[in-house]
mmCIF file with all atom_site columns, all heavy atoms in Angstrom:
data_model
loop_
_atom_site.group_PDB
_atom_site.id
_atom_site.type_symbol
_atom_site.label_atom_id
_atom_site.label_alt_id
_atom_site.label_comp_id
_atom_site.label_asym_id
_atom_site.label_entity_id
_atom_site.label_seq_id
_atom_site.pdbx_PDB_ins_code
_atom_site.Cartn_x
_atom_site.Cartn_y
_atom_site.Cartn_z
_atom_site.occupancy
_atom_site.B_iso_or_equiv
_atom_site.pdbx_formal_charge
_atom_site.auth_seq_id
_atom_site.auth_comp_id
_atom_site.auth_asym_id
_atom_site.auth_atom_id
_atom_site.pdbx_PDB_model_num
ATOM 1   N N   . ILE A 1 632 ? -66.585 2.101   -43.585 1.00 49.00 ? 632 ILE A N   1
ATOM 2   C CA  . ILE A 1 632 ? -66.474 1.656   -44.947 1.00 49.00 ? 632 ILE A CA  1
ATOM 3   C C   . ILE A 1 632 ? -66.283 2.948   -45.784 1.00 49.00 ? 632 ILE A C   1
ATOM 4   O O   . ILE A 1 632 ? -67.021 3.851   -45.743 1.00 49.00 ? 632 ILE A O   1
ATOM 5   C CB  . ILE A 1 632 ? -67.797 1.010   -45.384 1.00 49.00 ? 632 ILE A CB  1
ATOM 6   C CG1 . ILE A 1 632 ? -68.012 -0.284  -44.552 1.00 49.00 ? 632 ILE A CG1 1
ATOM 7   C CG2 . ILE A 1 632 ? -67.711 0.616   -46.913 1.00 49.00 ? 632 ILE A CG2 1
ATOM 8   C CD1 . ILE A 1 632 ? -66.956 -1.345  -44.719 1.00 49.00 ? 632 ILE A CD1 1
ATOM 9   N N   . THR A 1 633 ? -65.352 2.859   -46.647 1.00 50.00 ? 633 THR A N   1
ATOM 10  C CA  . THR A 1 633 ? -64.970 3.884   -47.554 1.00 50.00 ? 633 THR A CA  1
ATOM 11  C C   . THR A 1 633 ? -64.975 3.349   -48.993 1.00 50.00 ? 633 THR A C   1
ATOM 12  O O   . THR A 1 633 ? -64.707 2.132   -49.201 1.00 50.00 ? 633 THR A O   1
ATOM 13  C CB  . THR A 1 633 ? -63.668 4.593   -47.367 1.00 50.00 ? 633 THR A CB  1
ATOM 14  O OG1 . THR A 1 633 ? -62.654 3.624   -47.388 1.00 50.00 ? 633 THR A OG1 1
ATOM 15  C CG2 . THR A 1 633 ? -63.625 5.267   -45.988 1.00 50.00 ? 633 THR A CG2 1
ATOM 16  N N   . LYS A 1 634 ? -65.382 4.111   -49.977 1.00 55.00 ? 634 LYS A N   1
ATOM 17  C CA  . LYS A 1 634 ? -65.503 3.564   -51.356 1.00 55.00 ? 634 LYS A CA  1
ATOM 18  C C   . LYS A 1 634 ? -64.797 4.610   -52.386 1.00 55.00 ? 634 LYS A C   1
ATOM 19  O O   . LYS A 1 634 ? -64.986 5.714   -52.135 1.00 55.00 ? 634 LYS A O   1
ATOM 20  C CB  . LYS A 1 634 ? -66.944 3.370   -51.732 1.00 55.00 ? 634 LYS A CB  1
ATOM 21  C CG  . LYS A 1 634 ? -67.096 2.740   -53.093 1.00 55.00 ? 634 LYS A CG  1
ATOM 22  C CD  . LYS A 1 634 ? -68.628 2.386   -53.273 1.00 55.00 ? 634 LYS A CD  1
ATOM 23  C CE  . LYS A 1 634 ? -68.865 1.848   -54.718 1.00 55.00 ? 634 LYS A CE  1
ATOM 24  N NZ  . LYS A 1 634 ? -70.248 1.563   -54.907 1.00 55.00 ? 634 LYS A NZ  1
ATOM 25  N N   . ASP A 1 635 ? -64.114 4.069   -53.197 1.00 59.00 ? 635 ASP A N   1
ATOM 26  C CA  . ASP A 1 635 ? -63.465 4.853   -54.224 1.00 59.00 ? 635 ASP A CA  1
ATOM 27  C C   . ASP A 1 635 ? -64.045 4.545   -55.631 1.00 59.00 ? 635 ASP A C   1
ATOM 28  O O   . ASP A 1 635 ? -63.637 3.434   -56.098 1.00 59.00 ? 635 ASP A O   1
ATOM 29  C CB  . ASP A 1 635 ? -61.887 4.698   -54.168 1.00 59.00 ? 635 ASP A CB  1
ATOM 30  C CG  . ASP A 1 635 ? -61.195 5.575   -55.120 1.00 59.00 ? 635 ASP A CG  1
ATOM 31  O OD1 . ASP A 1 635 ? -61.820 6.418   -55.679 1.00 59.00 ? 635 ASP A OD1 1
ATOM 32  O OD2 . ASP A 1 635 ? -59.899 5.430   -55.143 1.00 59.00 ? 635 ASP A OD2 1
ATOM 33  N N   . ASP A 1 636 ? -64.790 5.420   -56.233 1.00 62.00 ? 636 ASP A N   1
ATOM 34  C CA  . ASP A 1 636 ? -65.367 5.184   -57.475 1.00 62.00 ? 636 ASP A CA  1
ATOM 35  C C   . ASP A 1 636 ? -64.381 5.237   -58.681 1.00 62.00 ? 636 ASP A C   1
ATOM 36  O O   . ASP A 1 636 ? -64.704 4.845   -59.829 1.00 62.00 ? 636 ASP A O   1
ATOM 37  C CB  . ASP A 1 636 ? -66.595 6.222   -57.706 1.00 62.00 ? 636 ASP A CB  1
ATOM 38  C CG  . ASP A 1 636 ? -67.647 6.038   -56.759 1.00 62.00 ? 636 ASP A CG  1
ATOM 39  O OD1 . ASP A 1 636 ? -67.758 4.902   -56.263 1.00 62.00 ? 636 ASP A OD1 1
ATOM 40  O OD2 . ASP A 1 636 ? -68.347 7.057   -56.401 1.00 62.00 ? 636 ASP A OD2 1
ATOM 41  N N   . ASP A 1 637 ? -63.273 5.703   -58.437 1.00 70.00 ? 637 ASP A N   1
ATOM 42  C CA  . ASP A 1 637 ? -62.198 5.813   -59.455 1.00 70.00 ? 637 ASP A CA  1
ATOM 43  C C   . ASP A 1 637 ? -61.349 4.445   -59.660 1.00 70.00 ? 637 ASP A C   1
ATOM 44  O O   . ASP A 1 637 ? -60.447 4.333   -60.400 1.00 70.00 ? 637 ASP A O   1
ATOM 45  C CB  . ASP A 1 637 ? -61.176 6.920   -59.193 1.00 70.00 ? 637 ASP A CB  1
ATOM 46  C CG  . ASP A 1 637 ? -61.850 8.284   -59.215 1.00 70.00 ? 637 ASP A CG  1
ATOM 47  O OD1 . ASP A 1 637 ? -62.947 8.344   -59.917 1.00 70.00 ? 637 ASP A OD1 1
ATOM 48  O OD2 . ASP A 1 637 ? -61.405 9.145   -58.540 1.00 70.00 ? 637 ASP A OD2 1
ATOM 49  N N   . TYR A 1 638 ? -61.719 3.516   -58.831 1.00 79.00 ? 638 TYR A N   1
ATOM 50  C CA  . TYR A 1 638 ? -60.991 2.205   -58.913 1.00 79.00 ? 638 TYR A CA  1
ATOM 51  C C   . TYR A 1 638 ? -61.067 1.551   -60.261 1.00 79.00 ? 638 TYR A C   1
ATOM 52  O O   . TYR A 1 638 ? -62.234 1.404   -60.774 1.00 79.00 ? 638 TYR A O   1
ATOM 53  C CB  . TYR A 1 638 ? -61.421 1.244   -57.787 1.00 79.00 ? 638 TYR A CB  1
ATOM 54  C CG  . TYR A 1 638 ? -60.663 -0.106  -57.839 1.00 79.00 ? 638 TYR A CG  1
ATOM 55  C CD1 . TYR A 1 638 ? -59.379 -0.217  -57.300 1.00 79.00 ? 638 TYR A CD1 1
ATOM 56  C CD2 . TYR A 1 638 ? -61.372 -1.130  -58.328 1.00 79.00 ? 638 TYR A CD2 1
ATOM 57  C CE1 . TYR A 1 638 ? -58.853 -1.508  -57.372 1.00 79.00 ? 638 TYR A CE1 1
ATOM 58  C CE2 . TYR A 1 638 ? -60.877 -2.379  -58.366 1.00 79.00 ? 638 TYR A CE2 1
ATOM 59  C CZ  . TYR A 1 638 ? -59.494 -2.598  -57.953 1.00 79.00 ? 638 TYR A CZ  1
ATOM 60  O OH  . TYR A 1 638 ? -58.913 -3.793  -58.004 1.00 79.00 ? 638 TYR A OH  1
ATOM 61  N N   . GLU A 1 639 ? -60.010 0.991   -60.839 1.00 82.00 ? 639 GLU A N   1
ATOM 62  C CA  . GLU A 1 639 ? -60.033 0.247   -61.991 1.00 82.00 ? 639 GLU A CA  1
ATOM 63  C C   . GLU A 1 639 ? -59.398 -1.123  -61.797 1.00 82.00 ? 639 GLU A C   1
ATOM 64  O O   . GLU A 1 639 ? -58.324 -1.221  -61.186 1.00 82.00 ? 639 GLU A O   1
ATOM 65  C CB  . GLU A 1 639 ? -59.384 0.881   -63.135 1.00 82.00 ? 639 GLU A CB  1
ATOM 66  C CG  . GLU A 1 639 ? -60.068 2.149   -63.656 1.00 82.00 ? 639 GLU A CG  1
ATOM 67  C CD  . GLU A 1 639 ? -59.380 2.783   -64.861 1.00 82.00 ? 639 GLU A CD  1
ATOM 68  O OE1 . GLU A 1 639 ? -58.388 2.233   -65.331 1.00 82.00 ? 639 GLU A OE1 1
ATOM 69  O OE2 . GLU A 1 639 ? -59.802 3.885   -65.341 1.00 82.00 ? 639 GLU A OE2 1
ATOM 70  N N   . LEU A 1 640 ? -60.018 -2.233  -62.288 1.00 84.00 ? 640 LEU A N   1
ATOM 71  C CA  . LEU A 1 640 ? -59.532 -3.583  -62.088 1.00 84.00 ? 640 LEU A CA  1
ATOM 72  C C   . LEU A 1 640 ? -58.234 -3.718  -62.797 1.00 84.00 ? 640 LEU A C   1
ATOM 73  O O   . LEU A 1 640 ? -57.948 -3.158  -63.922 1.00 84.00 ? 640 LEU A O   1
ATOM 74  C CB  . LEU A 1 640 ? -60.443 -4.631  -62.619 1.00 84.00 ? 640 LEU A CB  1
ATOM 75  C CG  . LEU A 1 640 ? -61.657 -4.828  -61.830 1.00 84.00 ? 640 LEU A CG  1
ATOM 76  C CD1 . LEU A 1 640 ? -62.650 -5.651  -62.626 1.00 84.00 ? 640 LEU A CD1 1
ATOM 77  C CD2 . LEU A 1 640 ? -61.376 -5.571  -60.522 1.00 84.00 ? 640 LEU A CD2 1
ATOM 78  N N   . PRO A 1 641 ? -57.167 -4.275  -62.151 1.00 86.00 ? 641 PRO A N   1
ATOM 79  C CA  . PRO A 1 641 ? -55.796 -4.346  -62.773 1.00 86.00 ? 641 PRO A CA  1
ATOM 80  C C   . PRO A 1 641 ? -55.877 -5.352  -64.055 1.00 86.00 ? 641 PRO A C   1
ATOM 81  O O   . PRO A 1 641 ? -55.006 -5.271  -64.868 1.00 86.00 ? 641 PRO A O   1
ATOM 82  C CB  . PRO A 1 641 ? -54.871 -4.910  -61.784 1.00 86.00 ? 641 PRO A CB  1
ATOM 83  C CG  . PRO A 1 641 ? -55.872 -5.577  -60.741 1.00 86.00 ? 641 PRO A CG  1
ATOM 84  C CD  . PRO A 1 641 ? -57.049 -4.808  -60.787 1.00 86.00 ? 641 PRO A CD  1
ATOM 85  N N   . ARG A 1 642 ? -56.913 -6.255  -64.136 1.00 87.00 ? 642 ARG A N   1
ATOM 86  C CA  . ARG A 1 642 ? -57.039 -7.159  -65.235 1.00 87.00 ? 642 ARG A CA  1
ATOM 87  C C   . ARG A 1 642 ? -58.510 -7.649  -65.204 1.00 87.00 ? 642 ARG A C   1
ATOM 88  O O   . ARG A 1 642 ? -59.181 -7.594  -64.121 1.00 87.00 ? 642 ARG A O   1
ATOM 89  C CB  . ARG A 1 642 ? -56.034 -8.401  -65.029 1.00 87.00 ? 642 ARG A CB  1
ATOM 90  C CG  . ARG A 1 642 ? -56.251 -9.150  -63.727 1.00 87.00 ? 642 ARG A CG  1
ATOM 91  C CD  . ARG A 1 642 ? -55.398 -10.347 -63.851 1.00 87.00 ? 642 ARG A CD  1
ATOM 92  N NE  . ARG A 1 642 ? -55.510 -11.108 -62.541 1.00 87.00 ? 642 ARG A NE  1
ATOM 93  C CZ  . ARG A 1 642 ? -56.486 -11.917 -62.276 1.00 87.00 ? 642 ARG A CZ  1
ATOM 94  N NH1 . ARG A 1 642 ? -57.501 -12.100 -63.066 1.00 87.00 ? 642 ARG A NH1 1
ATOM 95  N NH2 . ARG A 1 642 ? -56.474 -12.595 -61.104 1.00 87.00 ? 642 ARG A NH2 1
ATOM 96  N N   . PRO A 1 643 ? -58.909 -8.194  -66.279 1.00 88.00 ? 643 PRO A N   1
ATOM 97  C CA  . PRO A 1 643 ? -60.332 -8.780  -66.294 1.00 88.00 ? 643 PRO A CA  1
ATOM 98  C C   . PRO A 1 643 ? -60.495 -9.880  -65.285 1.00 88.00 ? 643 PRO A C   1
ATOM 99  O O   . PRO A 1 643 ? -59.536 -10.622 -65.098 1.00 88.00 ? 643 PRO A O   1
ATOM 100 C CB  . PRO A 1 643 ? -60.543 -9.299  -67.766 1.00 88.00 ? 643 PRO A CB  1
ATOM 101 C CG  . PRO A 1 643 ? -59.466 -8.569  -68.528 1.00 88.00 ? 643 PRO A CG  1
ATOM 102 C CD  . PRO A 1 643 ? -58.321 -8.294  -67.574 1.00 88.00 ? 643 PRO A CD  1
ATOM 103 N N   . LEU A 1 644 ? -61.589 -9.960  -64.596 1.00 87.00 ? 644 LEU A N   1
ATOM 104 C CA  . LEU A 1 644 ? -61.881 -11.052 -63.659 1.00 87.00 ? 644 LEU A CA  1
ATOM 105 C C   . LEU A 1 644 ? -62.118 -12.318 -64.373 1.00 87.00 ? 644 LEU A C   1
ATOM 106 O O   . LEU A 1 644 ? -62.659 -12.325 -65.517 1.00 87.00 ? 644 LEU A O   1
ATOM 107 C CB  . LEU A 1 644 ? -63.182 -10.611 -62.901 1.00 87.00 ? 644 LEU A CB  1
ATOM 108 C CG  . LEU A 1 644 ? -63.037 -9.396  -61.983 1.00 87.00 ? 644 LEU A CG  1
ATOM 109 C CD1 . LEU A 1 644 ? -64.356 -9.115  -61.238 1.00 87.00 ? 644 LEU A CD1 1
ATOM 110 C CD2 . LEU A 1 644 ? -61.946 -9.594  -60.989 1.00 87.00 ? 644 LEU A CD2 1
#
Side-chain angles (χ1 to χ4, degrees):
I632 298 295
T633 60
K634 184 175 179 180
D635 184 3
D636 294 333
D637 296 333
Y638 174 80
E639 292 184 4
L640 289 168
R642 61 173 175 78
L644 296 177

